[in-house]
Amino acid sequence: MASVISTTPKNSQPVQIKSVYIETFGCQMNKSDSEHMLGLLDEIGFQQTAEMKEADLMILNTCAIREGAEDKVYSYLGAWNKHKKTRPGTLIAVGGCVAQDAGKSMLERAPGVDIVFGTHNLHRLPDLVLQAQKTGERIVELLQELPEDLPEIPVIRQSEISAWVSIIYGCDYNCTYCIVPYVRGREKSRTMDIIVDEIKELSAVGYREVTLLGQNVTAYGHDLSPKVHLGHLIERVGAESGIKRIRFLTGHPRDINTEIMDAVKNVEAACEYFHLPIQAGDDRTLRRMARGYNVDFYRRIVEQIRERLPNAAVTTDLIVGFPGETQEEFMNTVNLVEEIGFDAANTAAYSPRPHTPAANWEQQIPTEEKNERLRFLNSVVTETSHKCNKRYLGNTEQILVEGRSQKGENRMMGRTRTNKIVNFEGADSLVGELVDVRITATNPWALRADLIN
Ligand code: SAH
Ligand code: SF4
Ligand code: F3S
């Protein structure tokens, strides 16, 4: 173990450098939270390691969105517990959405766990770790809501090019299948000033792209006074920060409006990419999901986007096998994928979740049937994505180079403004650059291109 001594700004006592290994499941919000955990732990002398074997502290940041994600948590914790026996003194901490839900019961189900903390008290992690180290006791600490004054939390980002910036936490909707409001609490926006300052700093140190994050990013600002919306924020970030690309994720169809679309159109840095989960292409299903819109409403939104930004990419999330979904209703979803022509879609079989009404409804669809519908939907999504991608053939596109492609020697990877993955031959020195490429080939998931000099 490294024995470097450093002084932290916070308690100015010399601390031993230790190492932390972190594994993150779930959405971008969780990934961003993990970066903040690393920032917080750095202040008490923990540095990230990619080697689980040498970690003094192991953190699992968990996702509860589907049963499978939750099962994965307990199987990881079982393996981590075995590892811990070979390395006494290692601490295991569990955070994120499963921890927020399970709380104390996690200590029984996962014997090796030392610390359980939730989604609302990340800022407490250093104290909890120090306390566990000192006392050897197991700790569970959860808050029901975020603190009134949002603490500004240090961060160590994994990318030096593209940064996640949370702008709103929580979700005020109550979709009948979804556990997120239960584990993430009510909507709470960060102020525009704080967000713009953060992005100015990111731009100043060389970041090229930010993704404005929230479970429901299109609801941004309704809880601030004066009220603002995402369009205002995009305009300010565009005008003041110097960042080259602005993205946002995830939008709710009900909250997106033409002002937000206009901001994306007018602000050069704002990328013409809209991720708008529709969940189902059938009105009765949408009503029972309590989504607050029907298919026509969604069609109109896509129309409004395409009127302003004809080349915009539109992606979505879809659930199949919602309780009571008939074959005909399922086919309405399939047909809508083709009709809208989604650039991509995250698809999932409905999974009953605790604390959600739909989990207790009769007419649950058998697993086999759900999986069959999922396979069929996926084949249509793949075909539709490929059609969208083929339209890029021969185009000149600006891409932001992110790094080496996994596809082999000399292959680099970047993304178009519409978030398409592009593989091309080029040098490592291009990482972080915005370059023009000509698209030469496509498949459903990515584009191939030649660099234009
Ligand atoms: N706030 C976003 C989505 C957040 S959850 C929105 O409202 O659109 C991410 C995705 O997980 C959802 O879009 C949904 O497709 C999926 N999901 C949520 N709960 C699920 C469940 N119980 N079973 C299957 N998929 C689910
Ligand atoms: Fe879940 Fe619905 Fe909130 Fe999205 S809007 S996080 S699907 S409750
Ligand atoms: Fe999963 Fe929690 Fe995100 S449940 S999808 S990690 S908000």
Side-chain angles (χ1 to χ4, degrees), residues 297-372:
F297 181 91
Y298 190 92
R299 285 191 178 102
R300 226 168 18 253
I301 285 171
V302 175
E303 241 171 59
Q304 287 169 334
I305 291 172
R306 288 179 176 160
E307 276 163 16
R308 288 167 178 78
L309 297 155
N311 298 321
V314 180
T315 60
T316 202
D317 294 352
L318 298 163
I319 298 176
V320 303
F322 187 68
E325 182 192 62
T326 64
Q327 186 64 26
E328 193 188 337
E329 288 165 350
F330 164 65
M331 283 311 293
N332 286 339
T333 298
V334 173
N335 293 336
L336 192 83
V337 168
E338 289 181 318
E339 179 197 320
I340 300 268
F342 287 113
D343 287 84
N346 305 317
T347 58
Y350 167 75
S351 169
R353 303 310 294 134
H355 321 289
T356 64
N360 301 318
W361 293 352
E362 289 169 9
Q363 298 180 287
Q364 298 287 326
I365 309 287
T367 308
E368 260 315 296
E369 175 65 28
K370 286 195 276 193
N371 289 340
E372 186 145 328

Side-chain angles (χ1 to χ4, degrees), residues 281-296:
D282 174 77
D283 284 345
R284 192 182 78 103
T285 309
L286 286 173
R287 203 162 49 242
R288 293 186 311 116
M289 288 176 160
R291 288 294 287 177
Y293 53 82
N294 59 20
V295 177
D296 267 345

Side-chain angles (χ1 to χ4, degrees), residues 25-27 30 62-65 97 180 184 215:
F25 302 151
C27 62
N30 251 22
T62 61
C63 171
I65 202 78
C97 296
V180 169
R184 288 278 170 171
Q215 275 301 347

Side-chain angles (χ1 to χ4, degrees), residues 171 173-175 177-178 180-181 215 252 279 291:
C171 173
Y173 283 99
N174 280 302
C175 303
Y177 52 82
C178 183
V180 169
Q215 275 301 347
H252 193 290
Q279 311 298 359
R291 288 294 287 177

Side-chain angles (χ1 to χ4, degrees), residues 258-275:
T258 51
E259 284 163 299
I260 297 173
M261 298 173 199
D262 286 337
V264 175
K265 181 174 177 182
N266 297 332
V267 174
E268 203 194 322
C271 291
E272 43 280 8
Y273 168 73
F274 295 81
H275 182 67

